Amino acid sequence: MSQARVVLSPVGGARRAVIAASVGTVIEGYDLLLYGYLAGVLATRFFPADDPTAALLNTFAIYAVGFAVRPIGGVVFGHVGDRVGRRPALAASMLLMAAGTLGIGLLPTYQSIGVWAPVSLLICRLVQGFAIAGEYVGANILILEHAADGRSGRAVSANQVAVYVGVAAAAATSLLLASSLTPAQLAAWGWRLPFLAAVPLALVGLYIRGSVPDSPALDAPGIVRPRFPLIVALRTVKRGIAVFAGWLVMVTLGGFLLFGYMPSYLTRVVGMDATVAFGANLAAVFALAVGAVAGGHLVDRFPPRTVAIASAVGVAVSVVPGFMLIQQGTFAAAVLGQVIWAVGIGISATVSALLSASQFPVPIRFAATGLAYNVSVTVFGGTAPYVSTWLLSRTHDPVAPAWYLAGAALLGLATAVVGWRGPSWMVTGEPCSG
């Protein structure tokens, strides 16, 4: 196989690709993370109220199980993305995500239908998990394959920011609900409103994405789309898949710990008021976005491996002191205690997005990236709230989740030091057969 340089989009096309891909990511990030931010309320609506801790654990268990279908979704959307096109895969992902999110907003509660309430909630989460498997991966690839030379990091960092904007939108919505409604109103009907917004948001996203052409890389001279991209990927880039998945452990665990678990941690463990907790977490999500933008500029100027090592070290040494600081219980301490490690997670997220282009050739890029990303997110990201809650209940140590992330950061550091051999396919294509 010989490498062939891909004809990249002109600057205007690259900008349109960034905007279109990122808008969809904002919407799907909002849809997915609402569940985590409203987990405390959902626990009271979909499970018996006699054991609040068990109800929260069950709610987080459904949150985690919803990720179990992500590898399947990654395989399906990866196949569609490589065989049919990046844009069709992204459109299907968005429609399915809207359906799952709308379903949650319409579900009867435990008080109405008993055990069928959590069963129905699980089904909706499975639909969401399957759908999201193609979104983030596909949006990153679409942006990278439209990006201009020397600006791949800055271009794809916009999609990382879009993830965090979606998270911030979910956090801001939760904060607005918590501050404008009484606890009784929030529990009775207020929690449904943000889920019901899924349909109009999805229609906006589809309209914007419809104006952008598919990836120019797929139709570049010398590119052959294999019949079964995943089989070719498993045969030819097994090492790249392993390296990518290993690096993602820190990225996914850190991200989902911050925006999927910290709001509940701040209210239930630290004892902060819900409004204050949401506000502090929103500031931390902003720090994630800042880190992602910084990561984009850094990987365009320095070797991505160097940036990866620095970000992993930063997370490893800062997360435990950050959690210790949070225990003071003030708003300022909660913000600073999250921000000092959130920036490193943001940087590492941009590095991981760029890594998909450096590890995998164009014809199998969606399939290989989708498999590695979704397996890592399923095992470590989706389980982050549940495992963290379990660690606290077993150890009674409020810093236990931080030690968990510190271990993942050391794994990321080892992956970057030992596993990376430098870019081999960076925004280039290679003919593949299969």
Side-chain angles (χ1 to χ4, degrees), residues 31-49 52 54-60 62-63 101 103-111 117-118 121-122 124-125 128 174 177 183 186-195 260 264 268 278:
D31 287 352
L32 184 67
L33 271 300
L34 274 176
Y35 187 103
Y37 278 106
L38 295 174
V41 179
L42 295 177
T44 67
R45 298 291 83 197
F46 290 93
F47 293 96
L56 185 62
L57 279 171
N58 288 331
T59 303
F60 280 141
I62 288 180
Y63 184 78
T101 307
I104 293 177
L106 296 175
L107 288 180
T109 64
Y110 185 89
Q111 290 74 22
L121 182 63
L122 175 60
C124 291
R125 279 289 301 136
Q128 282 189 320
S174 302
L177 290 173
L186 181 61
W189 52 267
W191 64 271
R192 297 184 184 275
L193 299 179
F195 292 102
S264 295
R268 291 177 176 268
F278 281 133

Side-chain angles (χ1 to χ4, degrees), residues 72-95:
I72 301 173
V75 170
V76 172
F77 286 110
H79 183 84
V80 174
D82 285 331
R83 285 290 298 164
V84 182
R86 317 308 196 201
R87 201 174 67 172
L90 288 170
S93 168
M94 182 174 290
L95 287 172

Side-chain angles (χ1 to χ4, degrees), residues 209-299:
R209 280 186 172 171
S211 64
V212 176
D214 211 335
S215 168
L218 282 176
D219 295 318
I223 294 295
V224 178
R225 303 186 194 185
R227 182 177 299 177
F228 300 107
L230 182 60
I231 294 176
V232 176
L234 291 173
R235 189 173 69 236
T236 60
V237 291
K238 292 188 293 290
R239 185 180 184 278
I241 291 173
V243 168
F244 190 48
W247 171 253
L248 282 169
V249 171
M250 176 187 72
V251 180
T252 58
L253 176 60
F256 281 92
L257 191 66
L258 188 75
F259 48 66
Y261 174 68
M262 288 306 294
S264 295
Y265 177 87
L266 293 174
T267 56
R268 291 177 176 268
V269 177
V270 182
M272 298 180 67
D273 176 77
T275 302
V276 177
F278 281 133
N281 189 246
L282 188 59
V285 172
F286 178 77
L288 276 174
V290 171
V293 173
H297 285 272
L298 289 171
V299 296

Side-chain angles (χ1 to χ4, degrees), residues 318-319 321-323 325-326 332-341:
S318 64
V319 64
F323 266 69
L325 182 60
I326 290 170
V335 170
L336 183 59
Q338 294 174 91
V339 164
I340 59 174
W341 53 274

